[in-house]
Amino acid sequence: MGLLRPAPRRSSVPAGSPFSALRRDPALLTLAAFTLLGCVLFFVFAGDSRRQVQIYWAGQVPLDAALAVGGWRLRQLAQARFSRFWSMIAFAGASFTLGDTWQFLALTWGGGTPSMTGGSVQTAFFAVGMSSNVIACLIFPQGLRTARERFIFWLDAATVLVGGSVMAWCFAVNPLGGAPTDRVTASITAALVLVAAFAATKVALIKAPPMARIAAWPMVGAAMLQGVSAFLPGPFQEQDHAYVFAIRLLPSLLIAVGPRIQELVVRIDGSHGAAKKRPYSLLPYGMIAVTLAVFFAMLPDGVSSQLWGATAGVVVITCLVAGRQLVAFQDNMVLIRRLDVVLDELRDREVLLREQASFDGLTKLANRTHFSEEAGRALAAVRAPGELAVLLIDLDDFKTINDTMGHAAGDTLLVSVAERLLRAVRPGDIVSRLGGDEFAVQLHVDPVATAERTAEHILRLLAVPMEIQHHTVATRASIGIAGAVPGDEPSVLLSNADIAMYEAKRRGKSTWVVYTEAMGARIGSEAELIHQMSQALDAGEFRLVYQPIVRLDDLALTGVEALIRWHHPTRGLVSPVEFIPLAERTGQIVPIGAWAMREACRQAAEWRSEHPGAEQMTIGVNVAGRQLRTAGFVDEVAAVLVATGLPAACLSVEVTETAVLDDEVSNEAMLALRGLGVKLALDDFGTAASSLGLLLTCPVTTLKLDRSFVESIVTVGRQAAVATAVSQIANALEFASVAEGIETEEQRDLLRSLGYQYGQGYLFSRPVAAAEMSRLWAGRPRVLI
């Protein structure tokens, strides 16, 4: 569809539908009033044929001029592909105007016999105008794309044209009964009929005609009326009756109003206004009916009954076939309407699926896929660093809301957070829910609204308490900020923001951190280490070393703590402080810890079988909280004890307070281990919160005082106080007590005086390999220093 050209004085067009505009249009009202005035004058001057003919030709001139002006205006308004059509219509109107003006002037000042049939000059101009109309009908685009559409069109067009030709031949060129006729008038009349028939065919059958139906049918009807009026019986052909002049003037009005109606349609609707057409047209069937009627009219008098019977049979069969065809068309239309309903439903579902594929169902924010697509488009336009930034927002402690208040409360919180995030950004920025309690914001950064200020604003909005299920909840979040540089991919930008967000959590949560290359380098190093660690177990790179545990009263060797070491083939010894947190975070601690458990128990069983002094030993094995929460962990420990032959009482599982704090699954695992007879030790005791409450629920057998309370116990009174309290708690609850990190005789003596039973540290021995530990068991030393 081409674009309409700018229309002058658009504001002068009445508002509303085309029908309401037609009733109020001053141009149409003027033309109708002028025609009505002419009809009144025909009756006023009844009997004065000369005056009536003058009025007739005078009335033709402004109506013809209206046709010319309307066609010219539509040439400027209509789509480019229809401009030539309207140019030829305007030319036809101009030809009619000149011819009718000449005829009026010749009749008024030149005398002669008054007649509604024009003279030679008027006839010539009329012929030129009619030729222009015929050519216009032939040349305007049909809009038929396929050969099938063109074939159907020309079949229907041929049917209409044949019917029109039959009418023209029977009533104009060769009239019924051989009545005499004016050949020029007959030819013009026949041309009018054919033009009307062909114009009607195009209006009815073309998908996108140059005129809306409401504008085209008056012009088609004008040609039909002018042609039919020539066939009316006797009185309608005489100039003695006023109504004859009125009937002959009316077609000119219908022709003149067509372009004006089309102009109103274009100005109001902004298009040529073509209505949606049926998949078939009734026009060819109408022409069949007209042809049959003409056929009956042509039958001579005295026709035999056989001919009447055959004629009636042909007519009935034709009508039945046409009726059957129309019924089939109607059935097809019912099916088409049903298909339209199904297609509408499919389109609605397509829209819904597209929304579901692009937006989060809970918060109605963009989802990860849509966010990545938008980020990709925005990154393609980045020309300098800092033009675009991504904020990755992760709610702190959201799991607590779900666990304590339920998932419905969690969903309500997420919806509220989404609303606050939308209030924190500007139009054009994109807020997305990536999944769970993780959100992202795409910001177009400028000096006034920086990403850091937006992050601060978000944290302030989230900190405002909200009511959820009659509870007041204050939300905190950790935000990572990553700025884009030209050439960035959405995944890289999100990954950088994710790194910064985890750094914000590491710094204490409820804050924001901007990504730096140093963070990326550290994360890259960690990722490489994680990858190498996944292969280290199979490569046999892990070793266990053992640190002795002695009884403080007599310095007798009573047990060891197994400590894992990683001997990297290129980096050398990797500190546990470096790789153990990574292993816990990635879950690799589970297979590594399982190997350490098997190896420690095997080694302990070997020492017991080889060294009589090691029969009552205890070996401590560190177990991470993730191991305790792994299904089948207790069964795995039981299987290791059976496979190695190590008594359960010789194994001490050492866990930190944070690993079992407020964790029901871990607590159940601890109870099951105690059921096996395994000892349980709280390692690094005193460094976590709620330690005292934990002692009431966790079935531990040993408390191990953290080295941080031992290193300055001699000089710092507070550390001595804490150490004293832990010892008293252990004695009161009948737990064994072990002090870690003893490095001096003075520390040993003080801890022994405080009631500690066992100790370990560099004073007695550094962690040693299994072979060295075997020598110590063989020697059964009472003092290892």
Side-chain angles (χ1 to χ4, degrees):
M1 301 289 290
L3 296 175
L4 293 175
R5 298 177 183 177
R9 299 191 302 277
R10 180 178 292 272
S11 59
S12 66
V13 178
S17 67
F19 292 99
S20 62
L22 296 182
R23 293 193 297 268
R24 300 193 303 270
D25 182 60
L28 293 178
L29 293 175
T30 300
L31 292 175
F34 189 86
T35 305
L36 180 61
L37 176 61
C39 293
V40 171
L41 292 176
F42 289 146
F43 286 93
V44 169
F45 292 99
D48 187 351
S49 61
R50 185 175 187 85
R51 183 71 64 183
Q52 287 175 318
V53 171
Q54 287 177 334
I55 294 171
Y56 171 76
W57 288 111
Q60 294 283 2
V61 174
L63 296 177
D64 295 338
L67 175 65
V69 172
W72 185 257
R73 290 168 66 89
L74 282 170
R75 176 184 179 276
Q76 298 174 325
L77 282 174
Q79 302 169 21
R81 61 195 181 111
F82 294 140
S83 61
R84 186 169 57 174
F85 170 83
W86 288 113
S87 296
M88 302 197 72
I89 295 296
F91 177 76
S95 297
F96 295 155
T97 303
L98 292 174
D100 292 346
T101 300
W102 176 271
Q103 185 66 24
F104 170 73
L105 295 175
L107 183 63
T108 302
W109 285 288
T113 304
S115 174
M116 286 187 292
T117 301
S120 58
V121 175
Q122 191 274 340
T123 300
F125 277 109
F126 184 80
V128 171
M130 286 303 301
S131 299
S132 180
N133 281 338
V134 171
I135 295 172
C137 290
L138 289 172
I139 65 173
F140 76 72
Q142 299 173 7
L144 305 176
R145 297 184 179 88
T146 65
R148 181 179 180 276
E149 289 179 339
R150 290 190 290 272
F151 179 71
I152 293 174
F153 168 77
W154 285 111
L155 281 180
D156 289 343
T159 302
V160 174
L161 291 175
V162 169
S165 299
V166 169
M167 289 183 61
W169 177 263
C170 294
F171 291 101
V173 179
N174 190 21
L176 291 172
T181 181
D182 181 359
R183 292 297 176 181
V184 175
T185 303
S187 300
I188 293 174
T189 303
L192 285 174
V193 173
L194 290 177
V195 170
F198 192 71
T201 303
K202 282 217 163 185
V203 170
L205 302 180
I206 294 298
K207 291 183 177 180
M211 301 181 69
R213 286 182 179 179
I214 190 175
W217 284 119
M219 300 185 73
V220 173
M224 289 287 190
L225 180 60
Q226 194 164 357
V228 170
S229 65
F231 308 144
L232 294 175
F236 291 93
Q237 306 300 324
E238 300 174 359
Q239 298 184 15
D240 297 334
H241 305 285
Y243 59 79
V244 174
F245 291 95
I247 292 175
R248 295 295 182 89
L249 183 61
L250 183 59
S252 297
L253 172 65
L254 295 178
I255 292 175
V257 301
R260 178 59 184 175
I261 294 174
Q262 177 65 18
E263 181 180 348
L264 293 175
V265 170
V266 171
R267 290 183 181 275
I268 293 173
D269 289 348
S271 66
H272 60 78
K276 181 179 180 181
K277 298 184 179 300
R278 291 191 297 266
Y280 65 92
S281 173
L282 295 176
L283 188 60
Y285 297 94
M287 295 309 297
I288 291 175
V290 170
T291 303
L292 291 176
V294 173
F295 178 73
F296 273 106
M298 293 290 295
L299 287 176
D301 296 333
V303 174
S304 66
S305 58
Q306 290 90 347
L307 182 57
W308 273 109
T311 302
V314 171
V315 172
V316 171
I317 290 175
T318 303
C319 292
L320 290 176
V321 172
R324 178 66 184 88
Q325 189 70 19
L326 290 175
V327 170
F329 283 148
Q330 290 296 329
D331 292 341
N332 290 340
M333 287 191 67
V334 171
L335 292 175
I336 290 172
R337 282 194 291 269
R338 291 178 180 174
L339 287 174
D340 287 340
V341 172
V342 173
L343 288 175
D344 289 340
E345 293 178 353
L346 290 175
R347 292 188 189 99
D348 292 341
R349 292 183 182 180
E350 182 183 6
V351 172
L352 179 60
L353 289 174
R354 192 176 291 117
E355 290 179 353
Q356 292 175 344
S358 301
F359 296 92
D360 176 55
L362 176 64
T363 62
K364 308 307 178 186
L365 299 176
N367 61 15
R368 180 183 291 271
T369 301
H370 186 49
F371 184 84
S372 297
E373 292 174 352
E374 292 295 330
R377 282 189 280 269
L379 286 169
V382 172
R383 296 293 178 266
E387 292 180 353
L388 186 74
V390 165
L391 276 61
L392 192 67
I393 304 155
D394 189 84
L395 302 185
D396 296 333
D397 305 319
F398 175 73
K399 185 176 182 295
T400 304
I401 299 293
N402 275 339
D403 292 344
T404 58
M405 301 176 63
H407 289 282
D411 289 347
T412 302
L413 176 63
L414 292 174
V415 172
S416 298
V417 168
E419 293 173 350
R420 296 186 182 193
L421 290 177
L422 289 173
R423 293 205 306 268
V425 301
R426 301 161 301 170
D429 296 332
I430 297 175
V431 181
S432 168
R433 182 189 177 206
L434 302 183
D437 62 337
E438 194 172 65
F439 297 83
V441 177
Q442 176 185 302
L443 295 175
H444 293 279
V445 182
D446 58 48
V448 177
T450 63
E452 292 85 348
R453 289 174 182 169
T454 303
E456 288 283 1
H457 188 36
I458 289 173
L459 291 178
R460 284 195 301 270
L461 287 178
L462 294 182
V464 176
M466 63 184 73
E467 292 292 327
I468 298 178
Q469 295 183 353
H470 307 294
H471 294 279
T472 301
V473 178
T475 310
R476 300 190 310 159
S478 299
I479 303 177
I481 304 173
V485 297
D488 267 353
E489 294 292 332
S491 58
V492 173
L493 197 59
L494 276 175
S495 176
N496 292 344
D498 189 59
I499 292 171
M501 184 270 292
Y502 276 107
E503 179 65 20
K505 285 188 177 295
R506 191 183 67 82
R507 295 183 185 181
K509 303 180 180 180
S510 191
T511 187
W512 54 267
V513 170
V514 178
Y515 172 81
T516 63
E517 293 297 332
M519 291 181 198
R522 188 185 73 245
I523 295 299
S525 176
E526 289 181 354
E528 180 64 22
L529 193 62
I530 289 170
H531 174 70
Q532 294 172 350
M533 186 165 50
S534 65
Q535 302 172 335
L537 190 59
D538 293 336
E541 297 173 8
F542 290 110
R543 303 282 191 277
L544 288 183
V545 294
Y546 305 90
Q547 186 168 33
I549 300 175
V550 301
R551 193 165 45 234
L552 294 179
D553 286 341
D554 57 4
L555 301 181
L557 181 60
T558 60
V560 295
E561 178 183 359
L563 303 170
I564 193 167
R565 297 291 184 265
W566 181 7
H567 291 268
H568 194 278
T570 58
R571 297 178 56 173
L573 188 62
V574 180
S575 170
V577 176
E578 187 176 355
F579 75 85
I580 291 295
L582 293 179
E584 291 182 351
R585 194 174 75 200
T586 61
Q588 295 185 52
I589 193 64
V590 174
I592 294 173
W595 171 84
M597 178 66 71
R598 292 192 303 270
E599 179 61 19
C601 290
R602 182 200 64 77
Q603 186 62 67
E606 181 179 311
W607 286 332
R608 289 183 74 253
S609 64
E610 294 180 355
H611 307 291
E615 291 181 357
Q616 303 302 317
M617 68 163 290
T618 299
I619 185 165
V621 180
N622 291 282
V623 172
R626 193 154 186 170
Q627 289 178 266
L628 287 174
R629 293 187 292 273
T630 301
F633 172 73
V634 176
D635 294 336
E636 184 179 330
V637 172
V640 168
L641 293 175
V642 170
T644 59
L646 182 71
C650 293
L651 174 62
S652 176
V653 171
E654 298 189 8
V655 296
T656 61
E657 295 169 272
T658 54
V660 295
L661 187 63
D662 295 330
D663 191 322
E664 185 177 346
V665 176
S666 298
N667 195 56
E668 290 178 357
M670 297 279 281
L671 288 171
L673 289 172
R674 283 297 297 139
L676 294 177
V678 173
K679 296 176 182 178
L680 301 175
L682 278 183
D683 198 10
D684 303 333
F685 186 75
T687 59
S690 305
S691 298
L692 297 180
L694 182 63
L695 296 178
L696 300 178
T697 58
C698 188
V700 299
T701 59
T702 303
L703 296 183
K704 299 188 73 173
L705 180 68
D706 187 67
R707 65 180 66 249
S708 62
F709 298 105
V710 174
E711 59 185 1
S712 301
I713 193 172
V714 177
T715 58
V716 180
R718 289 189 175 184
Q719 290 190 344
V722 171
T724 301
V726 172
S727 176
Q728 291 173 348
I729 291 172
N731 291 332
L733 295 177
E734 297 182 347
F735 292 163
S737 56
V738 180
E740 297 180 302
I742 301 175
E743 297 184 357
T744 66
E745 295 264 3
E746 193 174 6
Q747 290 173 342
R748 180 198 66 188
D749 294 340
L750 179 55
L751 289 165
R752 183 175 58 184
S753 68
L754 293 177
Y756 282 90
Q757 299 168 304
Y758 304 97
Q760 68 182 97
Y762 287 177
L763 176 64
F764 311 114
S765 174
R766 292 177 178 271
V768 296
E772 179 63 20
M773 197 67 231
S774 295
R775 185 187 66 77
L776 294 177
W777 283 118
R780 296 187 62 195
R782 295 182 61 84
V783 180
L784 301 177
I785 55 177

